[in-house]
């Protein structure tokens, strides 16, 4: 949301509300003028306050943007370094696991061969009969 349309709408609402209240209240001319001056001063003060707060918000957003621009590359570099270190640390474990898997696959192959030989031996005596 853009600040300018918001501030224009807010200002219009404040002024419109003030005028509606002033003209709907029964007062003498002198009282009405005094009330108008008082409300105009109050409205000016509120507008100055809104302007100051909008400036503060803008400054905060700019500061946050600058901090993000400065910190995000550093965070990305730190993350890359962490990933690199993690990769280096798990490399020996990865290699050990690969060797274990190969060993298990070899064992399974041997067991399959032994089972096949055992099955063949059982079938041969039955075929002789």
């Amino acid at each position: 949301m853009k600040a300018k349309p918001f501030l224009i709408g807010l200002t219009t609402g404040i002024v419109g509300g003030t005028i509606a209240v002033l003209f709907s209240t029964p007062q003498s001319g002198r009282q009405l003028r005094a009330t108008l001056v008082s409300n105009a001063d109050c409205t000016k003060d509120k507008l100055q306050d809104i302007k100051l707060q909008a400036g503060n918000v803008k400054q905060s957003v700019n500061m946050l943007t600058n901090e993000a621009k400065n910190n995000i590359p550093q965070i990305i570099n730190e993350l890359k370094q962490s990933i690199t270190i993690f990769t280096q640390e798990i490399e020996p474990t990865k290699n050990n696991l690969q060797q274990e898997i190969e060993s298990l696959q070899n064992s399974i192959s041997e067991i399959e061969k032994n089972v096949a030989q055992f099955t063949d031996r059982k079938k041969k005596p039955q075929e002789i009969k």
Side-chain angles (χ1 to χ4, degrees), residues 18-35:
T18 303
I19 291 172
V21 167
L22 288 175
F23 288 119
S24 66
T25 306
Q27 294 178 350
S28 68
R30 186 176 293 158
Q31 288 176 332
L32 181 61
R33 285 189 295 274
T35 304

Side-chain angles (χ1 to χ4, degrees), residues 17-96:
T18 303
I19 291 172
V21 167
L22 288 175
F23 288 119
S24 66
T25 306
Q27 294 178 350
S28 68
R30 186 176 293 158
Q31 288 176 332
L32 181 61
R33 285 189 295 274
T35 304
L36 284 172
V37 169
S38 172
N39 286 339
D41 290 340
C42 182
T43 302
K44 285 179 185 177
D45 290 341
K46 287 181 182 180
L47 287 175
Q48 287 294 340
D49 187 40
I50 290 171
K51 187 176 178 181
L52 179 65
Q53 289 178 2
N56 288 341
V57 168
K58 185 177 179 180
Q59 185 180 8
S60 296
V61 168
N62 287 336
M63 194 167 70
L64 179 63
T65 302
N66 289 335
E67 284 184 26
K69 285 179 184 177
N70 293 334
N71 290 335
I72 287 178
Q74 180 182 356
I75 291 170
I76 290 173
N77 287 335
E78 289 175 1
L79 185 59
K80 284 180 181 178
Q81 289 175 350
S82 295
I83 290 171
T84 302
I85 290 170
F86 175 74
T87 304
Q88 290 171 352
E89 288 178 353
I90 66 164
E91 190 65 32
T93 305
K94 177 183 162 188
N95 291 336
N96 288 340

